[in-house]
Amino acid sequence: MTDSLGAYMRTLFLHPPSYDGFDGGAGARYQARREIRSFWYPTWLAQPAALVPGSRLVDAPPDGLTVNEVLPLAHRYELAILHTSTPSFPYDVRVAEAMKTENPDLRIGFVGAHVAVDPEGALRASETIDFVAREEFDFTIQEVAQGRPLRAVLGLSYRDNGIVRHAPARPILENMDTLPFVVDVYKRDLTLENYFNGYLLHPYVSLDTGRGCRSKCTFCLWPQTVGGHRYRTRSVEHVVAEIALATRYFPQVKEYFFNDDTFTDDLPRAEAIAHQLGKLGVTWSCNAKANVPYDTLKLLKDNGLRLLVVGYESGNQQVLNNIKKGVRLDLARRFTKHAKNLGIKIHGTFIVGLPGDRRETIEETIRFACEIDPDTIQVSIAAPYPGTALYREAVEQGWLSGGQLVDGQGVQVSALSYSHLSRTEIFESVESFYRRFYFRPLKVFALAGEMLRGREVMKRRLREGVEFLRFLSRRKEA
Ligand code: SF4
């Protein structure tokens, strides 16, 4: 099953078509259609694609590809690797089945946290799926693409004459520098301009400089399923060489984003990378916890840091303790003040419907958000993903409402309900959160001021404003 590339099968890496505008790619933590058009880079898929010569990565949602447009690809490849997620799994299976009908010889594998948590269930869901790769799947997929027998590939669960079998686990990756650069795959296969994100400059590029997070937030998907709780990192030189290469490949890029769970988990390393990025003169942003000291913030800012994405989650300390956030509200306030004083922008993320949330605590969170006043916010509904401590807790406590994580349009709905807080109340609180945060005179003036600084920004913000209002009105109808 190999071609002129010698040792490798002709391999397609596919983020399948899904709900319109669905940001469920191999880079999104919450797979859902966002309030404004938004797509993360499919970094988890690009990484194994970089290990398989001659492969191709197709990211259908940002490219606006339909199932019918993707199907002809089934004939051109011997192996297809589909990235899936809990909300999109049934849809992704249908895409896989259609591809197999087109080309019955196509070998199909699924990857992603959903199948890593329940490989048996995934394989039983459809005979179309030949195997799933558990844990970190980069080298697992490389070995499959090299044509190794499935039973000999660590980390694989596969179908063998109708019986589901599980190969032993693949050891966690320690030397992260063995992962090749993803920007080569981005350059070869992706259209950068199709990747939007409301709070990042456009066009942007995101990639990972490490995997894993030291924190143990009970709701958080990746560290509990594939990344683990040690922050395993690429060397400073490796990261900086990739960014330097990216600046040559993509002169149009205005910002680089480090999508590591918590880039600031290793402060000396973050500072060392910042020093080098400062020399390159690039603008960059990253995920951070609300506990970075002032001196580090200043050094990062002096070396090109533009924005931090900060998971505040709640404005109630007990709720934060319930989810093991490991952050104190007073320290989060101080951190935010420091960052703002230094001119660092903040995109704050909040969650409603967490364990312990009541109408009053959601109200506290809205007031907290307005008080600390990040530049932009994202409000998510607590999502009990299988494989997380939140999911196990929800099962034990009877909080699962029987609903899905997203509705028929891919918009988040509440899969949790409590005796004191219904799923409808949780769902409706998202809209009031957004309205109360954004429709304040202070915020409206800030956005207007930003728009007046340039035509491009104005065009973009107006488009996003329309999308945002449509999003709110669609939620009202739901
Ligand atoms: S700090 Fe952020 S990335 Fe780390 S476990 Fe908590 S929510 Fe997840």
Side-chain angles (χ1 to χ4, degrees), residues 111-146:
V111 296
H114 181 79
V115 296
V117 169
D118 184 14
E120 184 101 20
L123 283 163
R124 293 202 185 289
S126 171
E127 301 231 325
T128 299
I129 307 173
D130 295 301
F131 65 88
V132 306
R134 314 182 310 263
E135 300 113 22
E136 282 174 308
F137 48 80
D138 318 273
F139 291 96
T140 305
I141 299 303
Q142 185 190 43
E143 290 176 16
V144 174
Q146 284 168 336

Short mmCIF file of all heavy atoms in Angstrom, two decimals, residues 111-146:
data_model
loop_
_atom_site.label_atom_id
_atom_site.label_comp_id
_atom_site.label_asym_id
_atom_site.label_seq_id
_atom_site.Cartn_x
_atom_site.Cartn_y
_atom_site.Cartn_z
N VAL A 111 -8.53 10.24 15.46
CA VAL A 111 -7.68 10.73 16.55
C VAL A 111 -8.42 11.85 17.29
O VAL A 111 -9.37 12.42 16.76
CB VAL A 111 -6.32 11.26 16.03
CG1 VAL A 111 -5.51 10.14 15.40
CG2 VAL A 111 -6.52 12.40 15.02
N GLY A 112 -7.92 12.17 18.48
CA GLY A 112 -8.53 13.25 19.27
C GLY A 112 -8.91 12.74 20.65
O GLY A 112 -8.99 11.54 20.89
N ALA A 113 -9.15 13.68 21.56
CA ALA A 113 -9.40 13.33 22.96
C ALA A 113 -10.59 12.39 23.09
O ALA A 113 -10.58 11.47 23.92
CB ALA A 113 -9.64 14.60 23.77
N HIS A 114 -11.61 12.57 22.27
CA HIS A 114 -12.82 11.76 22.42
C HIS A 114 -12.52 10.26 22.24
O HIS A 114 -12.97 9.44 23.04
CB HIS A 114 -13.86 12.20 21.37
CG HIS A 114 -15.14 11.44 21.47
ND1 HIS A 114 -16.10 11.71 22.42
CD2 HIS A 114 -15.62 10.38 20.76
CE1 HIS A 114 -17.11 10.87 22.28
NE2 HIS A 114 -16.84 10.05 21.27
N VAL A 115 -11.74 9.93 21.22
CA VAL A 115 -11.44 8.51 20.99
C VAL A 115 -10.33 8.02 21.91
O VAL A 115 -10.22 6.82 22.18
CB VAL A 115 -11.11 8.21 19.51
CG1 VAL A 115 -12.30 8.50 18.63
CG2 VAL A 115 -9.89 8.98 19.03
N ALA A 116 -9.49 8.94 22.40
CA ALA A 116 -8.44 8.54 23.34
C ALA A 116 -9.08 8.06 24.65
O ALA A 116 -8.59 7.14 25.29
CB ALA A 116 -7.50 9.72 23.62
N VAL A 117 -10.21 8.68 25.02
CA VAL A 117 -10.87 8.34 26.27
C VAL A 117 -11.68 7.05 26.14
O VAL A 117 -11.71 6.23 27.05
CB VAL A 117 -11.80 9.52 26.69
CG1 VAL A 117 -12.71 9.10 27.83
CG2 VAL A 117 -10.96 10.72 27.08
N ASP A 118 -12.32 6.87 25.00
CA ASP A 118 -13.17 5.70 24.84
C ASP A 118 -12.91 5.03 23.48
O ASP A 118 -13.75 5.06 22.57
CB ASP A 118 -14.65 6.11 24.95
CG ASP A 118 -15.59 4.92 24.87
OD1 ASP A 118 -15.11 3.76 25.00
OD2 ASP A 118 -16.81 5.13 24.68
N PRO A 119 -11.74 4.41 23.32
CA PRO A 119 -11.41 3.80 22.02
C PRO A 119 -12.38 2.68 21.65
O PRO A 119 -12.77 2.55 20.49
CB PRO A 119 -9.99 3.26 22.22
CG PRO A 119 -9.75 3.24 23.68
CD PRO A 119 -10.65 4.26 24.30
N GLU A 120 -12.76 1.90 22.64
CA GLU A 120 -13.67 0.77 22.40
C GLU A 120 -15.01 1.29 21.85
O GLU A 120 -15.51 0.80 20.83
CB GLU A 120 -13.87 0.04 23.73
CG GLU A 120 -14.70 -1.20 23.63
CD GLU A 120 -13.84 -2.46 23.62
OE1 GLU A 120 -12.68 -2.42 24.05
OE2 GLU A 120 -14.37 -3.49 23.15
N GLY A 121 -15.57 2.28 22.55
CA GLY A 121 -16.86 2.84 22.13
C GLY A 121 -16.78 3.43 20.74
O GLY A 121 -17.71 3.29 19.93
N ALA A 122 -15.66 4.09 20.44
CA ALA A 122 -15.52 4.72 19.13
C ALA A 122 -15.50 3.65 18.04
O ALA A 122 -16.17 3.78 17.01
CB ALA A 122 -14.23 5.55 19.09
N LEU A 123 -14.73 2.59 18.26
CA LEU A 123 -14.64 1.55 17.24
C LEU A 123 -15.97 0.80 17.08
O LEU A 123 -16.32 0.37 15.98
CB LEU A 123 -13.51 0.57 17.59
CG LEU A 123 -12.11 1.12 17.29
CD1 LEU A 123 -11.04 0.32 18.02
CD2 LEU A 123 -11.82 1.12 15.80
N ARG A 124 -16.71 0.68 18.16
CA ARG A 124 -18.01 -0.01 18.07
C ARG A 124 -19.07 0.87 17.41
O ARG A 124 -20.09 0.37 16.93
CB ARG A 124 -18.49 -0.43 19.46
CG ARG A 124 -17.61 -1.49 20.09
CD ARG A 124 -18.29 -2.30 21.17
NE ARG A 124 -17.33 -3.21 21.79
CZ ARG A 124 -16.82 -4.29 21.21
NH1 ARG A 124 -17.21 -4.60 19.99
NH2 ARG A 124 -15.95 -5.04 21.84
N ALA A 125 -18.82 2.17 17.38
CA ALA A 125 -19.81 3.09 16.81
C ALA A 125 -19.96 2.89 15.30
O ALA A 125 -21.03 3.13 14.75
CB ALA A 125 -19.42 4.54 17.11
N SER A 126 -18.89 2.47 14.64
CA SER A 126 -18.98 2.30 13.19
C SER A 126 -17.87 1.38 12.69
O SER A 126 -16.69 1.57 13.05
CB SER A 126 -18.87 3.65 12.48
OG SER A 126 -18.76 3.45 11.09
N GLU A 127 -18.24 0.43 11.86
CA GLU A 127 -17.25 -0.50 11.29
C GLU A 127 -16.34 0.22 10.32
O GLU A 127 -15.31 -0.31 9.91
CB GLU A 127 -17.97 -1.63 10.57
CG GLU A 127 -18.87 -2.41 11.49
CD GLU A 127 -18.63 -3.90 11.40
OE1 GLU A 127 -18.32 -4.35 10.30
OE2 GLU A 127 -18.73 -4.59 12.44
N THR A 128 -16.73 1.42 9.95
CA THR A 128 -15.92 2.19 9.02
C THR A 128 -14.57 2.57 9.63
O THR A 128 -13.59 2.73 8.92
CB THR A 128 -16.68 3.50 8.67
OG1 THR A 128 -17.88 3.12 8.06
CG2 THR A 128 -15.88 4.39 7.77
N ILE A 129 -14.57 2.73 10.95
CA ILE A 129 -13.32 3.16 11.62
C ILE A 129 -12.44 1.93 11.80
O ILE A 129 -12.80 0.99 12.52
CB ILE A 129 -13.63 3.81 12.98
CG1 ILE A 129 -14.66 4.93 12.84
CG2 ILE A 129 -12.35 4.35 13.62
CD1 ILE A 129 -15.14 5.50 14.17
N ASP A 130 -11.29 1.92 11.14
CA ASP A 130 -10.39 0.77 11.22
C ASP A 130 -9.56 0.79 12.50
O ASP A 130 -9.20 -0.25 13.02
CB ASP A 130 -9.46 0.75 10.00
CG ASP A 130 -10.25 0.52 8.72
OD1 ASP A 130 -10.91 -0.51 8.62
OD2 ASP A 130 -10.23 1.42 7.84
N PHE A 131 -9.22 1.99 12.95
CA PHE A 131 -8.42 2.08 14.18
C PHE A 131 -8.60 3.46 14.79
O PHE A 131 -9.03 4.41 14.12
CB PHE A 131 -6.93 1.81 13.90
CG PHE A 131 -6.28 2.83 13.02
CD1 PHE A 131 -5.70 3.97 13.54
CD2 PHE A 131 -6.25 2.64 11.64
CE1 PHE A 131 -5.10 4.91 12.71
CE2 PHE A 131 -5.65 3.58 10.80
CZ PHE A 131 -5.08 4.72 11.35
N VAL A 132 -8.29 3.56 16.07
CA VAL A 132 -8.17 4.88 16.69
C VAL A 132 -6.81 4.94 17.38
O VAL A 132 -6.31 3.92 17.85
CB VAL A 132 -9.31 5.17 17.71
CG1 VAL A 132 -10.67 4.97 17.08
CG2 VAL A 132 -9.18 4.34 18.96
N ALA A 133 -6.23 6.14 17.41
CA ALA A 133 -4.94 6.31 18.07
C ALA A 133 -5.18 7.00 19.40
O ALA A 133 -5.82 8.04 19.46
CB ALA A 133 -4.01 7.15 17.20
N ARG A 134 -4.72 6.36 20.45
CA ARG A 134 -4.92 6.90 21.79
C ARG A 134 -3.73 7.78 22.16
O ARG A 134 -2.74 7.83 21.44
CB ARG A 134 -5.06 5.76 22.81
CG ARG A 134 -6.01 4.64 22.36
CD ARG A 134 -6.14 3.58 23.44
NE ARG A 134 -4.86 3.11 23.94
CZ ARG A 134 -4.23 2.02 23.53
NH1 ARG A 134 -4.75 1.28 22.58
NH2 ARG A 134 -3.07 1.67 24.05
N GLU A 135 -3.82 8.43 23.32
CA GLU A 135 -2.71 9.22 23.86
C GLU A 135 -2.19 10.21 22.80
O GLU A 135 -2.94 10.62 21.93
CB GLU A 135 -1.58 8.29 24.35
CG GLU A 135 -2.03 7.33 25.43
CD GLU A 135 -2.03 5.87 24.98
OE1 GLU A 135 -1.34 5.53 24.02
OE2 GLU A 135 -2.76 5.08 25.61
N GLU A 136 -0.90 10.57 22.90
CA GLU A 136 -0.31 11.44 21.88
C GLU A 136 -0.09 10.59 20.64
O GLU A 136 0.57 9.55 20.70
CB GLU A 136 1.04 11.98 22.37
CG GLU A 136 0.90 13.11 23.35
CD GLU A 136 2.27 13.49 23.90
OE1 GLU A 136 3.00 12.61 24.37
OE2 GLU A 136 2.59 14.69 23.85
N PHE A 137 -0.60 11.04 19.52
CA PHE A 137 -0.68 10.11 18.39
C PHE A 137 0.29 10.43 17.24
O PHE A 137 0.23 9.79 16.19
CB PHE A 137 -2.12 10.08 17.86
CG PHE A 137 -2.73 11.45 17.65
CD1 PHE A 137 -2.43 12.19 16.52
CD2 PHE A 137 -3.58 12.00 18.59
CE1 PHE A 137 -2.99 13.44 16.31
CE2 PHE A 137 -4.15 13.25 18.40
CZ PHE A 137 -3.85 13.98 17.26
N ASP A 138 1.19 11.38 17.44
CA ASP A 138 2.07 11.80 16.34
C ASP A 138 2.82 10.61 15.72
O ASP A 138 2.68 10.31 14.53
CB ASP A 138 3.10 12.82 16.85
CG ASP A 138 2.48 13.83 17.78
OD1 ASP A 138 1.97 14.84 17.30
OD2 ASP A 138 2.49 13.59 19.01
N PHE A 139 3.62 9.93 16.56
CA PHE A 139 4.46 8.85 16.04
C PHE A 139 3.65 7.57 15.80
O PHE A 139 4.03 6.74 14.99
CB PHE A 139 5.66 8.62 16.97
CG PHE A 139 6.62 9.78 16.92
CD1 PHE A 139 6.57 10.79 17.87
CD2 PHE A 139 7.55 9.89 15.89
CE1 PHE A 139 7.44 11.88 17.80
CE2 PHE A 139 8.41 10.98 15.81
CZ PHE A 139 8.35 11.98 16.78
N THR A 140 2.51 7.46 16.50
CA THR A 140 1.60 6.34 16.24
C THR A 140 1.15 6.39 14.79
O THR A 140 1.21 5.40 14.05
CB THR A 140 0.36 6.46 17.17
OG1 THR A 140 0.80 6.55 18.53
CG2 THR A 140 -0.57 5.28 17.01
N ILE A 141 0.72 7.57 14.36
CA ILE A 141 0.22 7.71 12.99
C ILE A 141 1.37 7.57 11.99
O ILE A 141 1.20 6.98 10.91
CB ILE A 141 -0.50 9.07 12.82
CG1 ILE A 141 -1.71 9.16 13.76
CG2 ILE A 141 -0.91 9.30 11.36
CD1 ILE A 141 -2.73 8.05 13.59
N GLN A 142 2.53 8.07 12.34
CA GLN A 142 3.67 7.91 11.43
C GLN A 142 3.93 6.42 11.16
O GLN A 142 4.15 6.01 10.02
CB GLN A 142 4.92 8.57 12.02
CG GLN A 142 6.09 8.53 11.05
CD GLN A 142 7.41 8.93 11.70
OE1 GLN A 142 7.71 8.53 12.82
NE2 GLN A 142 8.18 9.74 10.98
N GLU A 143 3.87 5.63 12.23
CA GLU A 143 4.14 4.20 12.05
C GLU A 143 3.05 3.51 11.23
O GLU A 143 3.33 2.63 10.42
CB GLU A 143 4.31 3.52 13.43
CG GLU A 143 5.60 3.94 14.11
CD GLU A 143 5.76 3.37 15.50
OE1 GLU A 143 5.04 2.41 15.86
OE2 GLU A 143 6.62 3.88 16.26
N VAL A 144 1.79 3.92 11.44
CA VAL A 144 0.71 3.35 10.62
C VAL A 144 0.95 3.71 9.16
O VAL A 144 0.84 2.87 8.26
CB VAL A 144 -0.68 3.88 11.08
CG1 VAL A 144 -1.77 3.40 10.12
CG2 VAL A 144 -0.99 3.43 12.50
N ALA A 145 1.34 4.96 8.92
CA ALA A 145 1.57 5.42 7.53
C ALA A 145 2.78 4.73 6.91
O ALA A 145 2.88 4.64 5.69
CB ALA A 145 1.76 6.93 7.51
N GLN A 146 3.66 4.22 7.75
CA GLN A 146 4.80 3.46 7.22
C GLN A 146 4.40 2.03 6.86
O GLN A 146 5.23 1.25 6.40
CB GLN A 146 5.93 3.43 8.26
CG GLN A 146 6.69 4.75 8.35
CD GLN A 146 7.61 4.82 9.56
OE1 GLN A 146 7.40 4.12 10.56
NE2 GLN A 146 8.63 5.66 9.48
#
